[in-house]
Amino acid sequence: MRFSRLLVPTTKETPNDATLASHIFLIRGGFIQSVGGSGLYNFLPLGKKVLDRVRSVVKEELDNAGCQEVSLSFVTPASLWEESGRYEKYGKELLRFKDRKDNEFVLGPTHEEMMVNLVRQSVKSYKQLPLNLYQINLKFRDEIRPRFGLMRGREFLMKDGYSFHTDEADMKREFDLMEETYKKIFTRLGLEFRVVEADSGAIGGSGSKEFMVLADSGEDTIVVCDGCDYGANIEAAVRQEKQCDAPAPQLENEKVHTPDASTMEELALFFNVDPFYLVKTVAMRALYDEGKSQIVLFALRGSDELQEVKACNAVDANELVEVSEEELEAAGLVPGFMAPFDTPKEVRVIVDTTLKGATNMICGANEKGYHTTGNTIEGDFAYRDIVSVQEGDACAKCGGTLRYTKGIEAGHIFQLGTRYSEPLGCTFLDENGKAKPMVMGTYGIGVSRLLAAIIEQHHDEKGCIWTKESAPFDLYIMVSNIKDKAQLALGEEVYIALQSAGIDVLFDDRKDRFGAKMKDYELIGIPHAVIIGKKLSDGLVEFVTREGMVKEEVSAEEIVSFVQERLC
RNA sequence: CGGAGUGUAGCGCAGUCUGGUAGCGCACCUGGUUUGGGACCAGGGGGUCGAAGGUUCGAGUCCUUUCACUCCGACCA
């Protein structure tokens, strides 16, 4: 491709809304263009090329693993979402609309329902299973706050795959195969990543793993172990049960007047104990379908923090919101002095598992200004893991030290089970002619987000540094001064020779000066460049590696074979 | 949805306080010079100042309403 014919509107200035390197360089390098609406982008020729290359890596590896590509309608009937029960649950992120006949539709944010619908219509026998179908298509989610360019757009390109099995064991086999396949994909794209345990979120199902591209700018906090390969999203991370060296308060079971102490810090000071021996009671309102809600008290140790996603899952709610003191009082609770015991009937109580059987605990007395000491946590509570792992906690797997790091969620794989096949009636007949729901897995990769992730990991202060398999072109050739006949002639010759050798070349034949062209090269970030310039009079050209901007002088006569060797 | 801010040429911004010919830089077009780190000179094109209403002889500027976007938070496969 000749640069003079390519639409690459590079800019010197940074768009005022861009803060992340990937956002800045993708816009400045003329890869993408903001549509003006938030979270919507056009892909310009260069961006489209990168997208296609990334997409083909994904496709190749999936096809190798035995997956089959399909393409599902982007517009999906609302009735399918009602069947699965997600029409309500998915909330405002679903963009709903009606056609001229007043039928309701949804722009697909994910396609479990659609794929299950496809399969239930065409697969009836165990002989047709297993099956792994995927597509690489647009998705639309009406995000509350899109940001960071391609990182969190409203419209985005996603690879979504769905597998169908006769039993759990076969689904797990496929799940493991997909984990390996995803590792190959991210490795080929040149990404440093970590596979972590994750929360299953709105998709539902049991085990799930996320593929986190490590980057400080990542939106997710992940917990990793210094001692082993354990890694988990903060929303799903677990730890070894915490011990406390400080002595337990040896106090009778009695009511104590604590007028000014309602926070954990104040209480710890008042009783002179470690917060480990305090019961923290956090009140939240759990929201359910059809506007139903309930106040829930979460009881945990004073030394722990509530992990909201875990808490939300523990009560199977759509979401948790804060409750005002007035609401609490109206429900018969005493803010600041609540206990998980003797609560009003309509209030639900969840107790952290590490509190089960705990003795000598101090907690609220359900009376303003009073706490009780010497409590033992026992009885019929719903015990769940609802606490957040903190840095420095011990790894449940090896005892090593856990710490936080940031990641970009680039892929997520789920063991779904029958979460969708059952409500949607996606069944098969087994060897005995008995109908059973198919066991499913689902596997996603944020393809357009990967572009942003690659740049987050591979850039310098000057611009992008694309990896070998993601680069828009394999090589950039610059003719420093196109009025110099010798330079131009060599450029043309090398360009044609390398093109016909199967190398995808961007040939910069523009009239601009050296500096301007160099800036563009650095911004666009093609892995290698050949610069034909002044030294041609000595029979020399330069071979540049974008990473580190390493320049090597090469004889002009040998440049074609030199490049071929270096690029293979 | 809470808090803060911004809407003026394709992009980045000034002008708004104190009403009086709509400006600057980049980009773009023409001609010339220039060609190893975002060149220079000369000329040129491009705007319902987010929208609606109001005050005024006169509104980018003042008043009212409204819409959109951005940032922080909440939220989020």
Side-chain angles (χ1 to χ4, degrees):
Chain A
M1 184 76 208
R2 286 172 189 275
F3 208 132
S4 58
R5 300 306 314 147
L6 188 63
L7 180 64
V8 203
T10 58
T11 63
K12 230 191 296 194
E13 285 180 280
T14 300
N16 68 348
D17 58 341
T19 48
L20 282 196
S22 60
H23 190 189
I24 292 170
F25 292 139
L26 287 172
I27 299 265
R28 282 194 49 210
F31 293 91
I32 59 171
Q33 178 187 55
S34 168
V35 178
S38 65
L40 303 176
Y41 291 90
N42 289 330
F43 280 80
L44 300 177
L46 225 43
K48 175 69 168 124
K49 278 203 84 168
V50 177
L51 197 61
D52 284 348
R53 294 209 59 193
V54 170
R55 174 194 206 126
S56 74
V57 169
V58 173
K59 177 169 171 58
E60 266 176 51
E61 292 300 332
L62 288 172
D63 289 352
N64 281 343
C67 307
Q68 302 174 56
E69 187 173 8
V70 295
S71 179
L72 303 178
S73 171
F74 182 34
V75 172
T76 70
S79 57
L80 276 178
W81 293 82
E82 275 159 4
E83 268 189 79
S84 72
R86 281 210 291 186
Y87 196 64
E88 282 283 329
K89 182 157 180 155
Y90 218 106
K92 287 188 180 162
E93 263 184 57
L94 275 185
L95 182 64
R96 302 140 204 252
F97 58 96
K98 290 179 178 173
D99 68 4
R100 67 206 300 165
K101 288 182 276 185
D102 247 18
N103 290 325
E104 294 192 82
F105 289 90
V106 163
L107 274 192
T110 173
H111 279 175
E112 280 79 11
E113 284 82 356
M114 287 290 282
M115 194 65 93
V116 168
N117 184 48
L118 179 154
V119 168
R120 73 179 173 185
Q121 288 181 51
S122 44
V123 178
K124 290 290 159 204
S125 160
Y126 72 94
K127 293 173 194 166
Q128 293 168 282
L129 297 174
L131 201 57
N132 189 331
L133 300 171
Y134 74 95
Q135 59 168 347
I136 300 175
N137 258 348
L138 279 183
K139 295 283 176 284
F140 190 92
R141 291 181 194 173
D142 202 355
E143 295 272 358
I144 304 171
R145 186 142 107 77
R147 60 187 122 177
F148 305 143
L150 296 184
M151 199 70 92
R152 180 174 295 281
R154 289 199 291 177
E155 185 183 277
F156 57 100
L157 191 67
M158 177 168 169
K159 169 263 157 179
D160 49 322
Y162 309 86
S163 69
F164 298 83
H165 309 269
T166 55
D167 59 33
E168 193 88 9
D170 195 53
M171 181 269 285
K172 285 192 170 141
R173 176 201 51 76
E174 188 75 11
F175 182 83
D176 292 340
L177 173 65
M178 284 300 111
E179 178 173 345
E180 291 313 308
T181 306
Y182 275 32
K183 284 181 184 167
K184 283 184 195 163
I185 291 170
F186 294 124
T187 303
R188 271 184 67 181
L189 290 173
L191 289 164
E192 193 192 334
F193 64 98
R194 189 122 182 184
V195 186
V196 304
E197 315 265 332
D199 171 62
S200 301
I203 298 284
S206 49
S208 91
K209 287 185 179 179
E210 285 170 335
F211 290 73
M212 290 289 184
V213 172
L214 302 180
D216 292 338
S217 55
E219 292 189 86
D220 290 271
T221 299
I222 55 183
V223 173
V224 294
C225 176
D226 282 346
C228 68
D229 65 352
Y230 177 77
N233 192 300
I234 184 85
E235 296 171 354
V238 294
R239 64 183 184 192
Q240 227 170 57
E241 193 162 317
K242 234 181 188 170
Q243 304 299 324
C244 184
D245 299 333
Q250 299 300 319
L251 297 167
E252 298 295 309
N253 183 225
E254 58 179 358
K255 197 159 87 177
V256 180
H257 189 48
T258 54
D260 301 321
S262 59
T263 67
M264 288 301 114
E265 295 75 26
E266 288 161 357
L267 268 181
L269 270 174
F270 185 91
F271 286 102
N272 191 28
V273 298
D274 192 287
F276 184 79
Y277 299 106
L278 304 174
V279 176
K280 181 193 287 190
T281 308
V282 181
M284 303 286 279
R285 181 176 289 281
L287 304 184
Y288 296 95
D289 287 352
E290 292 155 13
K292 288 180 200 154
S293 76
Q294 183 179 32
I295 292 179
V296 186
L297 297 184
F298 296 98
L300 52 153
R301 287 191 186 271
S303 51
D304 284 329
E305 294 295 330
L306 185 71
Q307 214 307 314
E308 267 196 44
V309 173
K310 287 183 179 179
C312 188
N313 291 341
V315 292
D316 207 21
N318 293 348
E319 70 177 296
L320 294 180
V321 294
E322 289 186 10
V323 203
S324 68
E325 298 208 350
E326 293 72 37
E327 287 177 272
L328 290 176
E329 280 161 11
L333 294 164
V334 191
F337 301 92
M338 293 182 291
F341 323 111
D342 307 321
T343 48
K345 256 192 208 128
E346 61 279 6
V347 173
R348 193 165 168 189
V349 178
I350 303 287
V351 176
D352 184 58
T353 41
T354 64
L355 273 178
K356 191 173 188 176
T359 53
N360 296 310
M361 298 300 294
I362 296 172
C363 72
N366 289 326
E367 188 180 331
K368 192 159 169 50
Y370 289 92
H371 279 81
T372 56
T373 55
N375 292 288
T376 297
I377 312 294
E378 57 191 353
D380 223 9
F381 289 116
Y383 295 101
R384 295 286 148 70
D385 172 21
I386 52 172
V387 303
S388 210
V389 168
Q390 291 160 12
E391 285 199 278
D393 286 351
C395 174
K397 214 166 148 187
C398 77
T401 306
L402 297 175
R403 63 182 173 84
Y404 288 175
T405 181
K406 290 283 182 180
I408 299 163
E409 182 189 348
H412 200 157
I413 59 178
F414 297 82
Q415 299 182 21
L416 266 189
T418 57
R419 164 68 182 84
Y420 295 91
S421 51
E422 220 157 334
L424 289 164
C426 181
T427 60
F428 67 99
L429 294 179
D430 69 7
E431 293 93 324
N432 305 314
K434 205 179 146 202
K436 284 186 178 168
M438 295 181 200
V439 179
M440 292 177 60
T442 178
Y443 321 95
I445 293 179
V447 178
S448 45
R449 177 180 284 181
L450 274 178
L451 268 62
I454 291 168
I455 297 308
E456 283 304 314
Q457 263 188 10
H458 302 276
H459 69 270
D460 59 16
E461 70 286 353
K462 292 173 173 170
C464 306
I465 305 173
W466 293 102
T467 58
K468 185 173 161 65
E469 296 224 36
S470 63
F473 289 92
D474 302 320
L475 182 75
Y476 166 92
I477 298 177
M478 186 213 294
V479 172
S480 177
N481 178 0
I482 63 161
K483 287 210 175 146
D484 181 318
K485 292 204 171 104
Q487 286 183 20
L488 184 60
L490 180 67
E492 292 280 356
E493 185 191 323
V494 174
Y495 169 53
I496 287 162
L498 289 173
Q499 274 289 78
S500 51
I503 293 173
D504 197 7
V505 182
L506 178 60
F507 178 44
D508 198 342
D509 55 344
R510 291 175 303 169
K511 196 171 162 279
D512 298 61
R513 296 160 69 97
F514 176 84
K517 286 190 268 201
M518 205 58 196
K519 291 282 186 206
D520 275 346
Y521 167 68
E522 286 162 340
L523 184 56
I524 291 167
I526 295 166
H528 296 283
V530 169
I531 295 174
I532 299 168
K534 274 189 163 167
K535 287 178 184 152
L536 183 60
S537 48
D538 304 325
L540 293 173
V541 298
E542 281 169 299
F543 181 77
V544 178
T545 300
R546 176 65 184 82
E547 174 94 62
M549 287 304 288
V550 182
K551 296 181 181 174
E552 300 166 66
E553 291 191 345
V554 181
S555 140
E557 287 161 20
E558 289 163 13
I559 189 64
V560 171
S561 55
F562 181 90
V563 167
Q564 281 177 285
E565 244 171 68
R566 290 306 273 300
L567 293 195
C568 289

